Amino acid sequence: MTALAQWFHRRGWRDLIIGIPYAWLILFFLLPFLIVVAMSLATRTPTAPPFGYGGDNPLINPAGYARLFTDSLYLRAFLTSLINAGVATVLCLLLGYPMALALTRVSKSWRTILLMLVILPFWTSFLLRVYAWMGLMGRNSWFNGLLTDLWNLITPQAWALQSIPMMNTNFAVVLVMVYTYLPFMILPLYANLERLDPALDEAAMDLGSRPFQVFRDVTLPQSIPGIIAGGLLVFIPAAGELVIPSLVGDAAAPMIGRIISDEFAQARDWPMASTVAVALLVLMVGPTMIYSRFQARAEGAETDGAKP
Amino acid sequence: MPAAPHPAPPAPASAPSAQAPSALAPSAMARPFIRIEGVSKRFGSFQAVRDVDLTIGEGEIFALLGGSGCGKTTLLRMLAGFEDPSAGRIFIDGQDMTGVPPWERPVHMMFQSYAIFPHMSVERNIAYGLKHERMSAAQRADRVREMLDLVQLAPFAQRKPHQISGGQRQRVALARALARQPKLLLLDEPLAALDKKLREQTQFELMSIQSRTGVTFIVVTHDQEEAMTLADRIAVMDRGQVRQVGSPTEIYEYPNSRFVAGFIGAISTFAARVVRLTGEIAEVDIPAMDGTFAARSVPGLVEGQSVTLALRPEKISIAKTCPAAVNVVEGQVKDLAYFGKDSLYRVTLPGGDLISVHAVNARRADEGGRPADWDDRVWLSFEPGSAILLTD
Ligand SMILES: Nc1ncnc2c1ncn2[C@@H]1O[C@H](COP(=O)(O)OP(=O)(O)OP(=O)(O)O)[C@@H](O)[C@H]1O
Ligand SMILES: [Mg+2]
């Protein structure tokens, strides 16, 4: 008992605090992931659960991985996912950067209000908000009508439209993803920009740089970690997004999340679903690695005493 | 309301001041280069800078001296163009700076926090201002190398700011500010972050850099010794106002107010009343010293006026026998601190007040060098010309 207490006082706290996230990761990430990997190497059987190893089937069956490359359905789904997620990420960056920058430049009281507004959408159900967009994009909505009128106003007669076909397109997917994930871009960017020393901007101005040059030379390079953090926080969930493409997307060009869901629920092909899931994860590990490298480098620079 | 400096008085022969009397002549200023006319700055209802008038000459090292929060940085920021004056105008080299953005001013600033770009190497930091200059890449590289040599940082050119020491960072900031050859360099507490030894060394480095480049320096500091070491002239600020402008000697020997007298160096002050005025000399009654004493008069004094008499510790002589001097007062040593080369005495005056006296230990203490000991009865004396009369 006393030995335990001693251990606890000497280093128990530290070990415990460091241990918790590891335990969490092992229990809720690594273990499930290993199960999924194991499942992806099984063979589909008409049993419950619908997969098995050995018996009539090969013990390890990598056929699913081969199918990823032979069946164009998967390649196309991956491509659609990457493009949609990529476009959404770039748009989030273009919209979110000025917003994050503005947040750092307004007065303290405004900053609190505006930050609240950025987070406010999370207080209503995500599904509700997607349904609201569906209503807005529908053929008979005032929103669509407004955009159609605008379109007809600025384009030649020949291109006139009754309404803009927005629903069930990749455009709709990207639009709703940008709307949904924008706060995930703004918040890390804001956290990054807010830490920058305003005296650096003044120093650059003092040395002859106009505001645009100050942004290019001083603000932008220093905000790269924030851009990467925000970019990954948008890109990774967007690439695996299921709900948004299911509700507003083009059913003929499904994204990868939809494929996984369909394989599980409709086709009851758990091994194939697992295979796709593993492939998606491998695809996402790349960017995450880049991110952690940047993070480590940024933190390394700081602990070395970047701030005098 | 910077008072006109006192006309140079004939220095009393026994004045312990090491300064040549010519130093007291109103310092002849070089061509006026900066004019600050009635400049005020308010932040909301708070007045940070109040009606400041200053003229600073070309090639001068000018110090803004004052306590924390007295508006030194704010004044500097208005010169650099980061803040607009609420009232008044600033002229640099005859040009009205109103509405001129920071990037178009011939002014560079060394920030209180240095503000070195953390994502650029030492070399690129120094080169940063030069990219706005029309010069070839070779010229630019030459200039950077010249600056690196000037601040002795050549071996560190490729390092990032977090890989060099605080003193080196400070030199990067200086080199970066000097690289574009500004007409005016503003230094905001340039040495505050350095330790004592490095600070003294850097003070002389700054002075030598200034004399080599001929750039006008405005140095902000709250360290009076630093101001006196560095500056040709000093402006003493208090709560947004300039209280006095003058050479270090003028400020030290002829402070125009109790604030300036107390801010620069140690001083003892006593309430006094003018009894008689005879030419250069004012006789004042000092209750704390229980007598009437002679002091050099100041303009505008009238008989019967209440004034303050201020005495610097080193201007007072201490002796165990009554000296033959004009102003003598008896007291008792209450405290004494021996510093080796000199000693500081705290002497109780007849009225019960304490006065500080600084005496050089010209001889060894055990050979009679120490003029007085604890609880000794002593006689203090001072020259009329050493006493400062303050009318505020
Ligand atoms: N942007 C601002 N808004 C409101 N008040 C300010 C602002 N900048 C400065 N002040 C106030 O103006 C006064 C003068 O500030 P300033 O920075 O000029 O002082 P300082 O003399 O440089 O002091 P220190 O020696 O501590 O650097 C301070 O009381 C400060 O609180
Ligand atoms: Mg300051």
Side-chain angles (χ1 to χ4, degrees):
Chain A
M1 192 58 224
T2 47
L4 190 68
Q6 253 179 14
W7 167 83
F8 189 78
H9 284 299
R10 209 155 2 100
R11 40 179 309 206
W13 268 117
R14 228 179 112 239
D15 288 5
L16 214 64
I17 285 168
I18 296 173
I20 286 171
Y22 278 103
W24 180 275
L25 274 178
I26 290 171
L27 204 62
F28 296 111
F29 174 75
L30 194 63
L31 227 58
F33 176 66
L34 290 178
I35 294 173
V36 171
V37 171
M39 240 195 281
S40 73
L41 295 169
T43 311
R44 184 181 170 200
T45 58
T47 55
F51 63 92
Y53 302 93
D56 298 340
N57 315 309
L59 193 59
I60 287 177
N61 184 357
Y65 289 95
R67 246 175 82 196
L68 277 182
F69 297 97
T70 48
D71 193 334
S72 70
L73 171 73
Y74 301 112
L75 282 180
R76 266 188 292 129
F78 270 116
L79 207 64
T80 312
S81 294
L82 293 185
I83 289 172
N84 283 354
V87 172
T89 306
V90 170
L91 289 176
C92 276
L93 180 63
L94 293 181
L95 284 170
Y97 202 109
M99 291 192 200
L101 203 56
L103 274 171
T104 65
R105 301 285 157 94
V106 295
S107 72
K108 271 272 181 314
S109 45
W110 266 109
R111 194 181 289 191
T112 318
I113 296 170
L114 293 176
L115 268 173
M116 275 282 288
L117 289 179
V118 170
I119 305 167
L120 202 63
F122 290 124
W123 291 5
T124 56
S125 151
F126 161 65
L127 271 182
L128 213 62
R129 284 179 285 135
V130 180
Y131 276 111
W133 273 111
M134 290 167 71
L136 286 177
M137 289 187 296
R139 283 178 185 284
N140 303 318
S141 80
W142 62 266
F143 177 72
N144 197 328
L146 203 78
L147 286 187
T148 311
D149 287 348
L150 250 169
W151 170 265
N152 289 344
L153 206 70
I154 55 170
T155 52
Q157 202 82 69
W159 293 5
L161 289 171
Q162 278 289 306
S163 64
I164 299 178
M166 283 191 278
M167 272 301 287
N168 304 322
T169 60
N170 275 336
F171 168 79
V173 174
V174 170
L175 177 70
V176 178
M177 285 205 298
V178 167
Y179 163 78
T180 307
Y181 290 115
L182 192 56
F184 294 104
M185 180 62 86
I186 294 177
L187 293 177
L189 263 178
Y190 165 73
N192 176 283
L193 291 170
E194 197 243 0
R195 276 190 352 201
L196 302 187
D197 183 358
L200 296 178
D201 293 7
E202 289 181 346
M205 259 189 248
D206 188 62
L207 291 163
S209 292
R210 285 149 194 286
F212 166 73
Q213 294 164 320
V214 173
F215 174 77
R216 187 194 57 197
D217 299 339
V218 178
T219 314
L220 192 59
Q222 288 191 90
S223 64
I224 286 173
I227 293 175
I228 291 175
L232 288 172
L233 282 179
V234 173
F235 183 80
I236 292 176
E241 181 59 62
L242 168 67
V243 176
I244 294 170
S246 300
L247 292 177
V248 304
D250 180 0
M255 282 173 62
I256 206 69
R258 180 68 177 278
I259 299 276
I260 298 174
S261 160
D262 283 357
E263 293 285 5
F264 258 110
Q266 254 100 57
R268 285 186 67 73
D269 189 347
W270 288 22
M272 193 59 214
S274 305
T275 307
V276 178
V278 170
L280 180 64
L281 190 111
V282 169
L283 214 61
M284 293 299 118
V285 160
T288 317
M289 296 271 261
I290 297 171
Y291 172 56
S292 29
R293 238 193 59 211
F294 257 96
Q295 191 81 334
R297 217 204 294 171
E299 271 163 21
E302 250 156 55
T303 46
D304 279 2
K307 294 196 171 163
Chain B
M1 32 137 203
H6 296 264
S14 63
S17 160
Q19 300 287 348
S22 64
L24 293 177
S27 21
M29 204 174 49
R31 189 170 75 87
F33 183 60
I34 292 150
R35 268 188 303 137
I36 299 171
E37 288 183 354
V39 164
S40 295
K41 177 70 189 178
R42 40 174 70 250
F43 295 109
S45 62
F46 179 77
Q47 185 128 30
V49 171
R50 207 181 285 258
D51 203 20
V52 167
D53 285 295
L54 283 176
T55 308
I56 296 166
E58 191 165 27
E60 198 173 15
I61 301 189
F62 191 89
L64 290 173
L65 179 61
S68 189
C70 72
K72 307 179 298 285
T73 298
T74 307
L75 189 57
L76 223 55
R77 290 173 58 79
M78 288 192 281
L79 280 163
F82 298 130
E83 309 274 5
D84 293 321
S86 311
R89 289 197 293 176
I90 293 172
F91 295 84
I92 297 177
D93 211 3
Q95 202 190 337
D96 188 350
M97 285 290 132
T98 311
V100 179
W103 53 88
E104 280 169 13
R105 297 192 181 204
V107 174
H108 288 332
M109 181 152 167
M110 200 178 130
F111 288 76
Q112 200 161 2
S113 59
Y114 304 155
I116 299 174
F117 305 125
H119 56 294
M120 296 182 194
S121 65
V122 166
E123 194 171 40
R124 281 191 55 212
N125 261 286
I126 294 173
Y128 186 79
L130 296 177
K131 61 188 218 169
H132 303 291
E133 217 67 351
R134 279 182 188 283
M135 54 186 355
S136 71
Q139 280 172 314
R140 194 165 300 152
D142 279 349
R143 182 93 188 118
V144 170
R145 206 166 314 119
E146 194 184 320
M147 284 296 119
L148 281 168
D149 289 340
L150 184 73
V151 296
Q152 297 164 21
L153 279 178
F156 304 98
Q158 301 309 325
R159 298 257 187 111
K160 283 282 179 68
H162 66 87
Q163 294 165 325
I164 58 177
S165 77
Q168 290 165 340
R169 246 174 261 155
Q170 178 254 335
R171 282 171 7 222
V172 174
L174 181 64
R176 185 180 69 178
L178 282 171
R180 272 187 92 186
Q181 293 172 306
K183 292 187 196 166
L184 170 63
L185 188 67
L186 308 171
L187 302 106
D188 196 353
E189 312 239 0
L191 313 176
L194 306 184
D195 64 52
K196 192 170 173 352
K197 191 157 168 278
L198 197 55
R199 187 159 61 221
E200 281 167 7
Q201 186 188 331
T202 316
Q203 278 171 6
F204 288 106
E205 243 172 63
L206 273 183
M207 287 162 77
S208 94
I209 286 173
Q210 196 274 341
S211 65
R212 266 181 283 161
T213 55
V215 175
T216 308
F217 276 27
I218 298 182
V219 185
V220 158
T221 176
H222 58 244
D223 178 343
Q224 51 118 345
E225 272 182 42
E226 186 170 297
M228 311 232 348
T229 313
L230 281 175
D232 299 319
R233 288 193 311 143
I234 300 172
V236 181
M237 289 183 72
D238 173 33
R239 280 169 295 166
Q241 279 175 305
V242 170
R243 300 296 296 267
Q244 188 172 0
V245 186
S247 70
T249 322
E250 278 161 6
I251 299 267
Y252 185 79
E253 305 288 3
Y254 296 93
N256 64 359
S257 57
R258 273 187 294 175
F259 174 80
V260 175
F263 193 79
I264 311 277
I267 204 154
S268 306
T269 55
F270 304 95
R273 206 170 46 80
V274 180
V275 188
R276 203 145 55 90
L277 287 168
T278 43
E280 283 264 286
I281 297 295
E283 275 179 47
V284 295
D285 178 46
I286 306 174
M289 295 191 190
D290 201 14
T292 304
F293 297 85
R296 171 164 321 106
S297 183
V298 291
L301 222 53
V302 293
E303 284 179 14
Q305 190 178 353
S306 288
V307 292
T308 302
L309 182 126
L311 279 171
R312 299 244 180 237
E314 76 280 5
K315 302 281 198 292
I316 305 169
S317 308
I318 186 166
K320 272 197 280 204
T321 53
C322 187
V326 188
N327 297 316
V328 182
V329 60
E330 201 180 348
Q332 186 175 22
V333 176
K334 176 164 187 285
D335 230 336
L336 109 77
Y338 174 71
F339 299 128
K341 69 178 191 306
D342 48 19
S343 297
L344 184 69
Y345 300 84
R346 307 267 290 155
V347 177
T348 314
L349 292 172
D353 292 60
L354 285 173
I355 188 169
S356 299
V357 179
H358 216 142
V360 175
N361 296 323
R363 278 185 286 165
R364 279 191 180 163
D366 53 350
E367 298 193 346
R370 187 188 287 177
D373 238 315
W374 274 276
D375 295 330
D376 277 353
R377 304 277 331 151
V378 290
W379 278 266
L380 308 179
S381 57
F382 55 88
E383 295 295 329
S386 303
I388 302 163
L389 285 184
L390 302 167
T391 50
D392 71 326

